[in-house]
Amino acid sequence: MNVFINLNLESSDPIYIQLQQQIIEGIAKKQLLPGDALPSVRSLAADIGINLHTVNKAYQQLKQDGFILIHRQKGVVVHPDGVPQADEVYKQELKAKLRPLVADSICRGMSEAEFSQFSKELFQLFNEEEGEKN
Amino acid sequence: MNVFINLNLESSDPIYIQLQQQIIEGIAKKQLLPGDALPSVRSLAADIGINLHTVNKAYQQLKQDGFILIHRQKGVVVHPDGVPQADEVYKQELKAKLRPLVADSICRGMSEAEFSQFSKELFQLFNEEEGEKN
DNA sequence: TATCTGTTATACTACTTATATAACAGATAG
DNA sequence: CTATCTGTTATATAAGTAGTATAACAGATA
C-alpha cells in the first residue's frame, strides 16, 4: 500500500507541504480512494527518510482540511465520506491564490485562453490516470 | 505619484511578497505604465510604515524579474521596454504553481469549467480597470 | 554644502522548518 | 502478561527566513 512520494529536497517548498500535495494528487487521480489506508507516521517517515514529525505535520493539516481521518490507535485513512465539497469560503481562497498568478501572466502578455488551456491540461492530467493502480 | 498599497499584516504572506504583488497588479491594470516612476525605498517604507530593507527586498526581486529598472542615483521606474514576455521556462513554472490548486479543486468536486471561470473573472478584473488613474 | 538616491554591512528578535529523543496511553498479537 | 504497534505530546537543537534598527558609503543634484 505504498504511496509513491517524490520529494525535492532542493525545493523551497517545505517537505511537509510537498508531502501534503502528493497525497492530495493521489486522491485527485483516484489512486487513493475513500477508506484507503495510509502508512503510519513512523513507517512513512522511515520509507522516505525524513522525520516522524514532518510526516505528522502533513497528516495533521490533511486531517484539518478533511482529506483524511485519523483513528487514534487504528491508523490513517482517506476520508470515507470523501473530501468536503468546495464552499464559498474555499472558492474565495482559491481566487485569492489565482490572483497573483493571473496578474503576473497578464504583465507577461499571456492571454486568458492560454492560461485556461493550462488549467484544462492539468485537469486532464489528473482525470486521465483515473483509477490507475501501479 | 503614490502607489496605493494595501498590506495585510495578519497574513502569512511576507510583507515584501505582498508589496511585489501589489506593484505587479498595478502594472497588470496599466495603472503603472512603462517609464512611470516608483517611490524611493525610503519614502515608500515611511509611507506604509515598514522598514527600508523590506521595500528594497521587494524592489530587488521585481528588478530581477524584469518589472522595473533601478538607476543607481536616479530612482526606480517601471521597465520602459515592458515586462519580458512569457517564455517556456515561465510557462512551466506557472503550470507547477497551478498544479496543486487544480488537484485540490478536483478533490473538492470543482469542474474545469468553474475553475476556468475564476481565471476569466480575474483576467477581466485586471483588464476592466485599464488605464484608470485614481 | 546639504540632501536626495540606491547599496552595503552588521546586529538583533521572532518565527518556521526539520531533526532527534523520549515518553505516554490505547489497541492488538503472541 | 508482554511486546509491539498506533497517534500524540513534550523538549531541545540547528538552520534558515522575515523584519527591524542603525549606520555608513558614493554618486547625483539643488
Side-chain angles (χ1 to χ4, degrees):
Chain A
M1 277 316 137
N2 252 348
V3 191
F4 35 95
I5 300 290
N6 290 320
L7 294 184
N8 177 8
L9 300 180
E10 317 296 313
S11 169
S12 63
D13 288 340
I15 296 176
Y16 76 95
I17 295 285
Q18 294 184 48
L19 196 45
Q20 263 188 82
Q21 290 176 347
Q22 301 251 352
I23 291 170
I24 292 174
E25 285 196 12
I27 296 174
K29 289 180 182 173
K30 306 205 194 309
Q31 289 165 345
L32 289 173
L33 298 173
D36 279 0
L38 287 168
S40 74
V41 287
R42 284 181 177 83
S43 68
L44 182 51
D47 267 21
I48 58 185
I50 62 173
N51 191 273
L52 163 166
H53 294 104
T54 307
V55 175
N56 194 52
K57 193 165 184 178
Y59 276 4
Q60 286 303 323
Q61 209 157 317
L62 287 168
K63 169 186 165 193
Q64 176 106 21
D65 294 341
F67 287 98
I68 63 176
L69 269 190
I70 306 183
H71 289 88
R72 168 118 197 178
Q73 279 89 12
K74 297 180 182 173
V76 182
V77 296
V78 178
H79 205 302
D81 304 337
V83 183
Q85 296 294 290
D87 59 5
E88 269 314 307
V89 173
Y90 177 82
K91 290 176 184 177
Q92 284 309 308
E93 287 171 357
L94 175 59
K95 282 184 83 167
K97 287 174 193 163
L98 280 171
R99 190 178 170 112
L101 301 186
V102 169
D104 200 340
S105 296
I106 290 176
C107 291
R108 300 194 132 89
M110 282 189 55
S111 67
E112 186 254 320
E114 191 173 9
F115 191 94
S116 287
Q117 176 60 25
F118 283 0
S119 311
K120 192 174 179 180
E121 285 170 24
L122 286 164
F123 266 84
Q124 283 170 351
L125 173 69
F126 290 121
N127 287 325
E128 265 170 18
E129 317 181 15
E130 206 154 333
E132 272 185 27
K133 295 263 183 189
N134 48 349
Chain B
M1 278 317 138
N2 253 348
V3 191
F4 35 93
I5 301 290
N6 291 321
L7 293 184
N8 176 8
L9 300 181
E10 317 295 314
S11 168
S12 62
D13 288 340
I15 297 176
Y16 77 94
I17 296 284
Q18 294 184 47
L19 196 44
Q20 263 187 83
Q21 290 176 347
Q22 301 250 354
I23 291 170
I24 292 174
E25 285 196 13
I27 296 174
K29 290 180 182 172
K30 305 205 195 308
Q31 290 165 344
L32 290 173
L33 298 173
D36 279 1
L38 287 168
S40 74
V41 288
R42 283 182 179 84
S43 67
L44 182 51
D47 267 21
I48 57 185
I50 62 174
N51 190 273
L52 162 166
H53 293 104
T54 307
V55 175
N56 193 52
K57 193 165 181 178
Y59 276 4
Q60 286 302 324
Q61 209 156 319
L62 287 167
K63 170 185 163 193
Q64 176 107 21
D65 293 341
F67 287 98
I68 63 177
L69 269 189
I70 306 183
H71 290 88
R72 168 119 198 180
Q73 280 89 12
K74 297 180 181 172
V76 182
V77 296
V78 179
H79 204 302
D81 304 337
V83 183
Q85 297 292 292
D87 58 6
E88 268 315 307
V89 173
Y90 177 82
K91 290 176 184 177
Q92 284 309 308
E93 287 170 358
L94 175 59
K95 283 184 82 168
K97 287 173 193 162
L98 281 172
R99 189 178 170 115
L101 302 185
V102 169
D104 200 339
S105 298
I106 289 175
C107 291
R108 301 195 130 90
M110 283 189 53
S111 66
E112 186 253 320
E114 192 172 8
F115 191 94
S116 287
Q117 177 60 25
F118 282 2
S119 311
K120 192 175 180 178
E121 284 170 24
L122 286 164
F123 265 85
Q124 283 168 353
L125 173 69
F126 290 121
N127 287 325
E128 266 170 18
E129 316 181 17
E130 207 154 332
E132 271 183 28
K133 294 265 182 185
N134 47 350

